[in-house]
Amino acid sequence: MPIRPIVITGNPVLHTRAQEVTEFNQELRDLVSDMFETMDEAPGVGLAAPQVGVGLRVFVYDWDAEDGTPQRGVVINPTLELSETPTGEADWESESEGCLSVPGERFPLRRAERAVLQGVDLEQNPVHIEAEGWFARIFQHEFDHLDGTLYVDRLAEPHKSDVAGIIKERGWGVPDQSWLPGQDKLEG
Ligand code: ZN
């Protein structure tokens, strides 16, 4: 099953800390391959395993850096080091992010400007990426997924209340909602 359904906020897998990967087997390779396809079809710039209902510490990303360099990869069992998160109000124009598990919505959130991502790839080779700006934001967003945190959990008021209203209105916030990229017309 190449493209997998993306689970929506309310599914416990999105709100639970994911487990370390211990077996680098065919099942893991299939998962990662399906995650790339699902991310591309959605489309999204990142996708974490819990978003396809798998509670493992894995995410994929696909982002063209400001200088045009394509950045596409997978990281398994990552750690993330961050510069300080700026205080103050987040800007709608430049700091709004979305999530495929809260589809169709965007809200502004402050994030650290710099991030150092480390982990391993499918061959257990080390991954070490120093990211800035939006690329660093993607890492923070995806890494949060592995700890059971959605970006909407981090929102300040009034955005926090607004998103709670939307989740209720759409019938989300329950365990069994999902959408299928390429079939259901939603975007993150
Ligand atoms: Zn997300």
Side-chain angles (χ1 to χ4, degrees):
M1 49 170 187
I3 293 172
R4 301 196 186 191
I6 296 178
V7 299
I8 290 174
T9 181
N11 190 308
V13 72
L14 290 173
H15 309 286
T16 307
R17 188 184 185 275
Q19 299 298 303
E20 261 76 23
V21 170
T22 54
E23 293 192 60
F24 289 75
N25 52 17
Q26 187 59 44
E27 200 180 329
L28 183 68
R29 286 190 286 278
D30 290 345
L31 169 67
V32 169
S33 160
D34 290 358
M35 284 171 64
F36 275 116
E37 279 194 56
T38 305
M39 173 177 66
D40 291 345
E41 185 68 31
V45 294
L47 186 71
Q51 294 184 275
V52 292
V54 178
L56 288 175
R57 302 186 75 77
V58 180
F59 71 75
V60 295
Y61 56 87
D62 184 20
W63 169 249
D64 287 345
E66 277 76 2
D67 66 2
T69 314
Q71 301 277 359
R72 183 176 170 90
V74 58
V75 66
I76 299 163
N77 298 340
T79 61
L80 194 65
E81 273 175 68
L82 301 175
S83 60
E84 212 170 302
T85 303
T87 54
E89 211 172 305
D91 178 50
W92 272 106
E93 279 295 301
S94 60
E95 297 182 278
S96 282
E97 65 189 66
C99 179
L100 297 170
S101 293
V102 190
E105 303 301 329
R106 295 185 79 77
F107 286 94
L109 175 64
R110 305 238 85 176
R111 293 283 198 185
E113 177 62 22
R114 275 181 298 282
V116 180
L117 178 74
Q118 297 189 78
V120 295
D121 65 14
L122 276 172
E123 281 72 46
Q124 300 187 65
N125 294 317
V127 170
H128 181 124
I129 302 171
E130 297 184 18
E132 281 186 23
W134 204 266
F135 195 29
R137 179 180 290 269
I138 293 168
F139 287 166
Q140 290 168 74
H141 181 112
E142 300 310 327
F143 187 83
D144 268 355
H145 273 300
L146 307 184
D147 285 340
T149 301
L150 301 184
Y151 88 99
V152 295
D153 299 330
R154 292 188 179 275
L155 295 176
E157 294 293 0
H159 313 308
K160 202 184 185 80
S161 298
D162 289 348
V163 84
I166 288 166
I167 288 169
K168 202 169 173 193
E169 198 179 289
R170 304 240 170 131
W172 297 341
V174 293
D176 55 353
Q177 299 286 310
S178 67
W179 67 284
L180 191 62
Q183 187 167 310
D184 301 322
K185 288 287 163 234
L186 287 168
E187 48 190 72

